Each structure stands twice: as structure tokens, then as C-alpha cells.
Amino acid sequence: MPGSYDACCGRFHRGEAVAPTAERLMRSRYSAFVRGEAEYLLRTWHPRTRPARLDLDPGVRWTGLEVLATEDGTAFHSAGVVEFRASYRGGALHERSRFERVDGAWTYVDGDFPGA
């Protein structure tokens, strides 16, 4: 679908807008992993848990994203959880990610790995 990257995540990655929900932030962060946008990933990481740097593995080929569940994380909340499965060539990552607002913008805090 032409323009789908801009409609979904491009404007967030460029800093023209912020994700309105925790789920939209999680989806935009997945897209950033796919595109190698480490700067965006760091910018949307909660200051309390943000690493000093992020080295993405260029050999990982992400192949799909499935949102399994969401808890809170809307415009009416200050925190939320998104459970997802992100597939990559050779496997999948299953995570329950926690998000919090910082100065009105959603940020990724950390996550647990169910079944790990």
C-alpha cells in the first residue's frame, strides 16, 4: 500500500508527531527496528531505563508483528501494556512491554518475556 509507512510511522520517526497510544508507539518502535532507526528507539525510551547507546544487528530480518493484547495505554491513561509477537527470520520475540507517558508523550519502559 503506497504511503503506508508515512501514514503509520514515518511522521513519528521524523519527529513530526508523537504516537497517540502505547500500541501505536509499540508499532512505530517495531517499524524502527525493521528500518534500523536507533535514534528513534532511544528517543522514545523512558529516561529511567534508556540505554546509553543501542547497537542494532543489521543481520536480523524482521518479518511480522502481531499485537496479542493491550491494557490501558490510551489518551486517557498515563501507563499501558502491549503484548506482542515480533517475528524474524529464524524465530520470534514474545514480549509484554510497559509504557509510560513522559511530558505527555508515550515512552517504552521495559518488558517481560512470557514463557521465557
Side-chain angles (χ1 to χ4, degrees):
M1 166 189 301
S4 61
Y5 169 71
D6 278 338
C8 165
C9 307
R11 59 199 173 108
F12 302 147
H13 291 178
R14 290 188 301 271
E16 298 169 1
V18 295
T21 66
E23 181 181 342
R24 291 285 301 274
L25 178 64
M26 191 281 309
R27 289 179 179 279
S28 73
R29 286 177 56 84
Y30 168 79
S31 180
F33 274 104
V34 170
R35 298 175 63 91
E37 301 273 353
E39 181 182 310
Y40 177 77
L41 293 165
L42 289 170
R43 188 170 74 239
T44 57
W45 212 306
H46 195 289
R48 184 176 70 241
T49 57
R50 179 188 305 133
R53 57 181 276 188
L54 185 61
D55 295 318
L56 300 178
D57 182 346
V60 174
R61 295 289 177 249
W62 296 100
T63 58
L65 174 68
E66 179 184 8
V67 173
L68 304 173
T70 61
E71 298 169 19
D72 299 335
T74 71
F76 303 104
H77 301 105
S78 59
V81 174
V82 179
E83 183 173 354
F84 66 91
R85 181 176 297 109
S87 301
Y88 57 88
R89 197 172 296 149
L93 169 71
H94 181 189
E95 182 174 330
R96 280 182 48 87
S97 297
R98 284 180 285 282
F99 297 86
E100 292 178 9
R101 286 185 186 266
V102 173
D103 296 329
W106 285 105
T107 61
Y108 169 78
V109 177
D110 59 16
D112 295 325
F113 304 97

